[in-house]
Amino acid sequence: MRLLQVDAFTAQAFRGNPAAVCLLDAERDERWMQDVAAEMNLSETAFLLRRADSDYSLRWFTPEVEVALCGHATLASAHALYEEHGLTSVRFHTKSGVLTADRTGNAIELDFPAILEERAEPPEGLLSSLGVTAPVYVGRNKFDYLVEVASEDEVRALDPDHTQLGRIPVRGVIVTSRSREYDFVSRFFAPGSGIAEDPVTGSAHCCLTPYWAPKLGKDAMTAFQASKRGGVVQVRLAGGRVKLGGAAVTVLRGELTA
């Protein structure tokens, strides 16, 4: 089976968010896929199985759990299918419904569901584990908590207590603010899912896009995830959907023999 490692949401190798993409030759056991993801030890490993023409089943696994939605590994998957099979338009059948990916030039645009948050009381340990004392806003969606802080500098300076943060029973925590250079910045922490900090999180932008669009008065925005590797995400709100755009770079190709 072909196995690729792709850096997503970047045009430069060793930046953005790396994902492994496994092109399955047949249906595989869930336990086996989890073992492969643990072996790859990346934030996500994507497993693709061709259905017909440009339709593929797609599942995503962290080193510890299967997740219901992952943006950067979907972008990596679309990039891998373009490089391996020349596909410029793909339909992915996932646990979050049918997701599409279309390539224009060097960029890929994903069509994802918008994920709306609601104001929520921060649970015990959330703000203290982040080191945030005066949040602008705290909300929650079906996956994550969303915390807006006052400045980009505060987002970039965060040094969370990952052990304490991992005790909060959610997939992860998004921290965001307005930006000087971009429309908004964010960081994403998910120690409870086996990821201390995710470099660039497409699914988090499915929440960030409808959150920031009315605040900034625009539907199309440029976002930056301010992790150590960093990555730029072009986002666009389209009704109940979010368009996520970005580039990707393949850094490794091989064969999975186990």
Side-chain angles (χ1 to χ4, degrees):
M1 285 172 285
R2 293 288 284 168
L3 185 70
L4 291 81
Q5 184 169 321
V6 177
D7 290 342
F9 292 114
T10 181
Q12 182 181 354
F14 315 125
R15 298 291 185 268
N17 201 353
V21 180
C22 179
L23 305 179
L24 296 172
D25 56 359
E27 291 281 358
R28 293 287 168 165
D29 177 76
E30 183 176 307
R31 182 66 257 173
W32 178 86
M33 288 189 283
Q34 187 65 74
D35 286 342
V36 172
E39 183 81 5
M40 295 302 99
N41 199 31
L42 297 170
S43 61
E44 302 285 348
T45 298
F47 295 89
L48 291 167
L49 181 63
R50 186 175 180 272
R51 287 188 169 195
D53 298 327
S54 57
D55 279 49
Y56 283 77
S57 296
L58 171 59
R59 294 174 73 174
W60 310 279
F61 288 78
T62 78
E64 295 187 10
V65 296
E66 183 176 10
V67 297
L69 188 66
C70 179
H72 85 277
T74 305
L75 185 72
S77 296
H79 178 79
L81 290 173
Y82 171 75
E83 292 207 332
E84 293 291 307
H85 301 306
L87 298 179
T88 58
S89 183
V90 189
R91 285 166 48 91
F92 296 114
H93 300 263
T94 79
K95 289 192 171 183
S96 292
V98 175
L99 310 175
T100 62
D102 295 289
R103 186 180 186 93
T104 304
N106 292 326
I108 297 169
E109 186 176 72
L110 308 177
D111 180 65
F112 271 40
I115 302 173
L116 304 180
E117 99 301 329
E118 295 182 349
R119 184 178 292 274
E121 284 296 317
E124 183 178 356
L126 174 62
L127 299 181
S128 61
S129 62
L130 291 171
V132 172
T133 57
V136 175
Y137 175 84
V138 177
R140 182 175 178 176
N141 62 40
K142 62 182 180 179
F143 296 133
D144 311 309
Y145 276 99
L146 172 68
V147 180
E148 182 188 347
V149 296
S151 73
E152 180 174 348
D153 291 338
E154 187 173 355
V155 173
R156 291 177 179 272
L158 289 173
D159 184 18
D161 180 335
H162 294 292
T163 300
Q164 184 180 0
L165 196 62
R167 298 191 183 107
I168 298 171
V170 289
R171 182 188 70 159
V173 177
I174 309 163
V175 185
T176 187
S177 76
R178 296 172 188 259
S179 172
R180 296 179 294 270
E181 181 180 356
Y182 306 93
D183 288 297
F184 62 87
V185 296
S186 67
R187 291 173 69 185
F188 183 76
F189 308 103
S193 299
I195 306 163
E197 179 172 3
D198 197 35
V200 191
T201 315
S203 60
H205 287 79
C206 294
C207 176
L208 288 163
T209 302
Y211 178 76
W212 280 111
K215 284 178 169 285
L216 299 176
K218 55 174 75 173
D219 289 337
M221 295 165 284
T222 300
F224 182 71
Q225 192 153 329
S227 64
K228 183 177 180 180
R229 292 172 65 103
V232 175
V233 187
Q234 301 294 336
V235 300
R236 179 163 56 90
L237 186 62
R241 309 290 293 182
V242 171
K243 306 290 187 176
L244 304 173
V249 181
T250 300
V251 297
L252 182 150
R253 289 186 182 87
E255 291 183 357
L256 183 64
T257 59

